[in-house]
Amino acid sequence: LVRLDRAGAVRLRRGATNRRYAREVEAWAAERVAPGDLLPALGATIDAFERVFFGRQPATQPAVDALEGRIRALDRTLPVEGA
């Protein structure tokens, strides 16, 4: 989320939900030539976080590794500092 904030896709603020951030990213991506994997990767990350944090389900190392790989790849494609 911090990286998405720096790219101008979201504005981090107290009380915002994951789904709100997802809607902001979707609107931001619709206005740009955005990476095709951005929304699915964000959705998968949100789903995994909510399963672990709210659903109290264990996170598996392979799932964490897969998400981290997707996120790192997408991070390299995001614009820098609201560009």
Side-chain angles (χ1 to χ4, degrees):
L1 285 175
V2 171
R3 184 64 179 90
L4 290 169
D5 179 67
R6 287 182 184 154
V10 298
R11 197 184 89 208
L12 291 179
R13 62 201 163 285
R14 183 167 294 224
T17 65
N18 289 332
R19 299 299 170 196
R20 175 162 180 118
Y21 288 134
R23 287 191 303 273
E24 289 180 19
V25 170
E26 186 174 9
W28 176 82
E31 297 174 359
R32 289 161 182 76
V33 178
D37 289 336
L38 178 60
L39 297 176
L42 178 61
T45 303
I46 289 171
D47 290 345
F49 171 81
E50 290 180 350
R51 274 193 311 277
V52 172
F53 189 80
F54 298 115
R56 298 176 191 242
Q57 296 178 15
T60 65
Q61 191 62 52
V64 170
D65 292 343
L67 284 172
E68 185 177 22
R70 287 176 80 177
I71 292 166
R72 287 183 188 276
L74 288 170
D75 181 57
R76 291 188 293 271
T77 68
L78 290 172
V80 177
E81 300 297 327

